[in-house]
Amino acid sequence: MIYVAHPKPDELLYALMIRACAGTGYSHSRYVAEPERAMDLWTELREDMRQPPSVGTYYAIILACARTRSHANEAFRLAREMLDSHRDAFGNAYRRPSQSTFAALLWAAKMSGDLLRARWILAELLNLWEKERSATGSSDLAPNGKIMVHVFHAY
């Protein structure tokens, strides 16, 4: 595909291909997660193409890894990499995780049966939500039903 359709694919195309590797998340679906293929695309994006990943690309790779029990810990490593790779003068992460990123991390905690990690992720989400609400008056990180379903499934 790289040589025929897009001689030099951009970061958005890689994000879409990696997100497609995440599958639907349901075991009875024929579209199951393929984290190995997603990691190959991730490596190609970062090392071969030398393009910096965006928050959306990080979300896609975290979701692809989170949807399988064998790669759940890789999802947490990638989230830590996303948050720790660049920080501003105040210590805030350059790449702010979205509500979907937190949902993917909760999915990984649910898949690995790690209740403590699920509780920690929920606490981090609530902490970041409260910090943004007090600073700007609004935030899109409010916990919703999808977030809480993942927390309850971890229990």
Side-chain angles (χ1 to χ4, degrees), residues 1-10 13-14 16-17 44 49:
M1 187 218 52
I2 289 175
Y3 299 111
V4 176
H6 300 278
K8 187 161 179 146
D10 62 350
L13 184 59
Y14 274 101
L16 290 171
M17 291 187 297
E44 185 177 316
M49 303 304 278

PDB file of all heavy atoms in Angstrom, residues 1-10 13-14 16-17 44 49:
ATOM      1  N   MET A   1       0.812  -1.180   0.000  1.00  0.00           N
ATOM      2  CA  MET A   1       0.000   0.000   0.000  1.00  0.00           C
ATOM      3  C   MET A   1       0.859   1.248   0.000  1.00  0.00           C
ATOM      4  O   MET A   1       0.552   2.212  -0.647  1.00  0.00           O
ATOM      5  CB  MET A   1      -0.909   0.002   1.231  1.00  0.00           C
ATOM      6  CG  MET A   1      -1.880   1.140   1.153  1.00  0.00           C
ATOM      7  SD  MET A   1      -2.272   1.986   2.671  1.00  0.00           S
ATOM      8  CE  MET A   1      -0.755   2.416   3.361  1.00  0.00           C
ATOM      9  N   ILE A   2       1.934   1.215   0.731  1.00  0.00           N
ATOM     10  CA  ILE A   2       2.777   2.399   0.846  1.00  0.00           C
ATOM     11  C   ILE A   2       3.305   2.815  -0.519  1.00  0.00           C
ATOM     12  O   ILE A   2       3.311   3.982  -0.867  1.00  0.00           O
ATOM     13  CB  ILE A   2       3.951   2.132   1.818  1.00  0.00           C
ATOM     14  CG1 ILE A   2       3.414   2.055   3.234  1.00  0.00           C
ATOM     15  CG2 ILE A   2       4.999   3.234   1.714  1.00  0.00           C
ATOM     16  CD1 ILE A   2       4.464   1.685   4.240  1.00  0.00           C
ATOM     17  N   TYR A   3       3.722   1.860  -1.323  1.00  0.00           N
ATOM     18  CA  TYR A   3       4.359   2.193  -2.581  1.00  0.00           C
ATOM     19  C   TYR A   3       3.362   2.536  -3.687  1.00  0.00           C
ATOM     20  O   TYR A   3       3.679   3.270  -4.597  1.00  0.00           O
ATOM     21  CB  TYR A   3       5.244   1.038  -3.023  1.00  0.00           C
ATOM     22  CG  TYR A   3       6.318   0.766  -2.016  1.00  0.00           C
ATOM     23  CD1 TYR A   3       6.297  -0.402  -1.269  1.00  0.00           C
ATOM     24  CD2 TYR A   3       7.320   1.694  -1.789  1.00  0.00           C
ATOM     25  CE1 TYR A   3       7.269  -0.645  -0.316  1.00  0.00           C
ATOM     26  CE2 TYR A   3       8.296   1.458  -0.841  1.00  0.00           C
ATOM     27  CZ  TYR A   3       8.270   0.289  -0.113  1.00  0.00           C
ATOM     28  OH  TYR A   3       9.231   0.062   0.825  1.00  0.00           O
ATOM     29  N   VAL A   4       2.142   2.006  -3.625  1.00  0.00           N
ATOM     30  CA  VAL A   4       1.187   2.220  -4.697  1.00  0.00           C
ATOM     31  C   VAL A   4       0.308   3.437  -4.445  1.00  0.00           C
ATOM     32  O   VAL A   4       0.290   4.375  -5.224  1.00  0.00           O
ATOM     33  CB  VAL A   4       0.312   0.957  -4.897  1.00  0.00           C
ATOM     34  CG1 VAL A   4      -0.749   1.201  -5.938  1.00  0.00           C
ATOM     35  CG2 VAL A   4       1.173  -0.221  -5.273  1.00  0.00           C
ATOM     36  N   ALA A   5      -0.407   3.441  -3.345  1.00  0.00           N
ATOM     37  CA  ALA A   5      -1.394   4.492  -3.102  1.00  0.00           C
ATOM     38  C   ALA A   5      -0.788   5.751  -2.502  1.00  0.00           C
ATOM     39  O   ALA A   5      -1.135   6.853  -2.896  1.00  0.00           O
ATOM     40  CB  ALA A   5      -2.487   3.964  -2.188  1.00  0.00           C
ATOM     41  N   HIS A   6       0.094   5.602  -1.547  1.00  0.00           N
ATOM     42  CA  HIS A   6       0.669   6.744  -0.846  1.00  0.00           C
ATOM     43  C   HIS A   6       2.174   6.553  -0.742  1.00  0.00           C
ATOM     44  O   HIS A   6       2.642   5.836   0.140  1.00  0.00           O
ATOM     45  CB  HIS A   6       0.079   6.873   0.560  1.00  0.00           C
ATOM     46  CG  HIS A   6      -1.392   7.062   0.560  1.00  0.00           C
ATOM     47  ND1 HIS A   6      -1.966   8.277   0.356  1.00  0.00           N
ATOM     48  CD2 HIS A   6      -2.412   6.188   0.716  1.00  0.00           C
ATOM     49  CE1 HIS A   6      -3.283   8.160   0.394  1.00  0.00           C
ATOM     50  NE2 HIS A   6      -3.573   6.889   0.606  1.00  0.00           N
ATOM     51  N   PRO A   7       2.945   7.175  -1.608  1.00  0.00           N
ATOM     52  CA  PRO A   7       4.386   6.971  -1.536  1.00  0.00           C
ATOM     53  C   PRO A   7       4.976   7.394  -0.203  1.00  0.00           C
ATOM     54  O   PRO A   7       5.950   6.842   0.242  1.00  0.00           O
ATOM     55  CB  PRO A   7       4.932   7.815  -2.681  1.00  0.00           C
ATOM     56  CG  PRO A   7       3.814   8.611  -3.192  1.00  0.00           C
ATOM     57  CD  PRO A   7       2.553   8.080  -2.656  1.00  0.00           C
ATOM     58  N   LYS A   8       4.372   8.374   0.453  1.00  0.00           N
ATOM     59  CA  LYS A   8       4.842   8.794   1.770  1.00  0.00           C
ATOM     60  C   LYS A   8       3.616   9.072   2.645  1.00  0.00           C
ATOM     61  O   LYS A   8       3.122  10.194   2.692  1.00  0.00           O
ATOM     62  CB  LYS A   8       5.714  10.028   1.660  1.00  0.00           C
ATOM     63  CG  LYS A   8       6.350  10.392   2.969  1.00  0.00           C
ATOM     64  CD  LYS A   8       7.524  11.289   2.780  1.00  0.00           C
ATOM     65  CE  LYS A   8       8.037  11.583   4.166  1.00  0.00           C
ATOM     66  NZ  LYS A   8       9.424  11.717   4.236  1.00  0.00           N
ATOM     67  N   PRO A   9       3.097   8.050   3.337  1.00  0.00           N
ATOM     68  CA  PRO A   9       1.895   8.247   4.151  1.00  0.00           C
ATOM     69  C   PRO A   9       2.171   9.200   5.312  1.00  0.00           C
ATOM     70  O   PRO A   9       3.260   9.226   5.872  1.00  0.00           O
ATOM     71  CB  PRO A   9       1.544   6.847   4.651  1.00  0.00           C
ATOM     72  CG  PRO A   9       2.768   6.043   4.467  1.00  0.00           C
ATOM     73  CD  PRO A   9       3.590   6.690   3.411  1.00  0.00           C
ATOM     74  N   ASP A  10       1.153   9.968   5.662  1.00  0.00           N
ATOM     75  CA  ASP A  10       1.316  10.907   6.766  1.00  0.00           C
ATOM     76  C   ASP A  10       0.907  10.255   8.079  1.00  0.00           C
ATOM     77  O   ASP A  10       0.469   9.107   8.127  1.00  0.00           O
ATOM     78  CB  ASP A  10       0.519  12.185   6.513  1.00  0.00           C
ATOM     79  CG  ASP A  10      -0.979  11.932   6.408  1.00  0.00           C
ATOM     80  OD1 ASP A  10      -1.380  10.761   6.349  1.00  0.00           O
ATOM     81  OD2 ASP A  10      -1.726  12.923   6.387  1.00  0.00           O
ATOM     82  N   LEU A  13      -2.757   8.902   8.435  1.00  0.00           N
ATOM     83  CA  LEU A  13      -3.011   7.605   7.804  1.00  0.00           C
ATOM     84  C   LEU A  13      -2.503   6.466   8.687  1.00  0.00           C
ATOM     85  O   LEU A  13      -3.169   5.436   8.830  1.00  0.00           O
ATOM     86  CB  LEU A  13      -2.357   7.536   6.420  1.00  0.00           C
ATOM     87  CG  LEU A  13      -2.630   6.261   5.626  1.00  0.00           C
ATOM     88  CD1 LEU A  13      -4.114   6.051   5.402  1.00  0.00           C
ATOM     89  CD2 LEU A  13      -1.904   6.324   4.298  1.00  0.00           C
ATOM     90  N   TYR A  14      -1.346   6.657   9.309  1.00  0.00           N
ATOM     91  CA  TYR A  14      -0.847   5.648  10.241  1.00  0.00           C
ATOM     92  C   TYR A  14      -1.797   5.496  11.424  1.00  0.00           C
ATOM     93  O   TYR A  14      -2.052   4.384  11.888  1.00  0.00           O
ATOM     94  CB  TYR A  14       0.558   5.994  10.730  1.00  0.00           C
ATOM     95  CG  TYR A  14       1.637   5.503   9.817  1.00  0.00           C
ATOM     96  CD1 TYR A  14       2.259   6.365   8.928  1.00  0.00           C
ATOM     97  CD2 TYR A  14       2.038   4.172   9.829  1.00  0.00           C
ATOM     98  CE1 TYR A  14       3.256   5.918   8.076  1.00  0.00           C
ATOM     99  CE2 TYR A  14       3.030   3.712   8.979  1.00  0.00           C
ATOM    100  CZ  TYR A  14       3.637   4.595   8.106  1.00  0.00           C
ATOM    101  OH  TYR A  14       4.611   4.137   7.265  1.00  0.00           O
ATOM    102  N   LEU A  16      -4.999   5.937  11.459  1.00  0.00           N
ATOM    103  CA  LEU A  16      -6.170   5.189  11.005  1.00  0.00           C
ATOM    104  C   LEU A  16      -5.865   3.701  10.839  1.00  0.00           C
ATOM    105  O   LEU A  16      -6.683   2.853  11.196  1.00  0.00           O
ATOM    106  CB  LEU A  16      -6.676   5.774   9.685  1.00  0.00           C
ATOM    107  CG  LEU A  16      -7.324   7.147   9.784  1.00  0.00           C
ATOM    108  CD1 LEU A  16      -7.584   7.711   8.395  1.00  0.00           C
ATOM    109  CD2 LEU A  16      -8.596   7.089  10.588  1.00  0.00           C
ATOM    110  N   MET A  17      -4.691   3.388  10.304  1.00  0.00           N
ATOM    111  CA  MET A  17      -4.332   1.977  10.132  1.00  0.00           C
ATOM    112  C   MET A  17      -4.138   1.295  11.482  1.00  0.00           C
ATOM    113  O   MET A  17      -4.566   0.151  11.684  1.00  0.00           O
ATOM    114  CB  MET A  17      -3.064   1.853   9.286  1.00  0.00           C
ATOM    115  CG  MET A  17      -3.252   2.247   7.843  1.00  0.00           C
ATOM    116  SD  MET A  17      -1.819   1.905   6.786  1.00  0.00           S
ATOM    117  CE  MET A  17      -0.565   2.954   7.494  1.00  0.00           C
ATOM    118  N   GLU A  44       7.122   1.425  12.361  1.00  0.00           N
ATOM    119  CA  GLU A  44       7.365   2.005  11.039  1.00  0.00           C
ATOM    120  C   GLU A  44       7.164   3.519  11.063  1.00  0.00           C
ATOM    121  O   GLU A  44       7.960   4.267  10.488  1.00  0.00           O
ATOM    122  CB  GLU A  44       6.416   1.367  10.030  1.00  0.00           C
ATOM    123  CG  GLU A  44       6.638   1.799   8.612  1.00  0.00           C
ATOM    124  CD  GLU A  44       5.699   1.075   7.665  1.00  0.00           C
ATOM    125  OE1 GLU A  44       5.528  -0.151   7.796  1.00  0.00           O
ATOM    126  OE2 GLU A  44       5.140   1.758   6.784  1.00  0.00           O
ATOM    127  N   MET A  49       9.698   6.211   9.203  1.00  0.00           N
ATOM    128  CA  MET A  49       9.200   7.473   8.658  1.00  0.00           C
ATOM    129  C   MET A  49       9.648   8.682   9.480  1.00  0.00           C
ATOM    130  O   MET A  49       9.533   9.804   9.023  1.00  0.00           O
ATOM    131  CB  MET A  49       7.669   7.438   8.575  1.00  0.00           C
ATOM    132  CG  MET A  49       7.127   6.289   7.754  1.00  0.00           C
ATOM    133  SD  MET A  49       7.762   6.222   6.090  1.00  0.00           S
ATOM    134  CE  MET A  49       6.725   7.404   5.313  1.00  0.00           C
TER     135      MET A  49
END
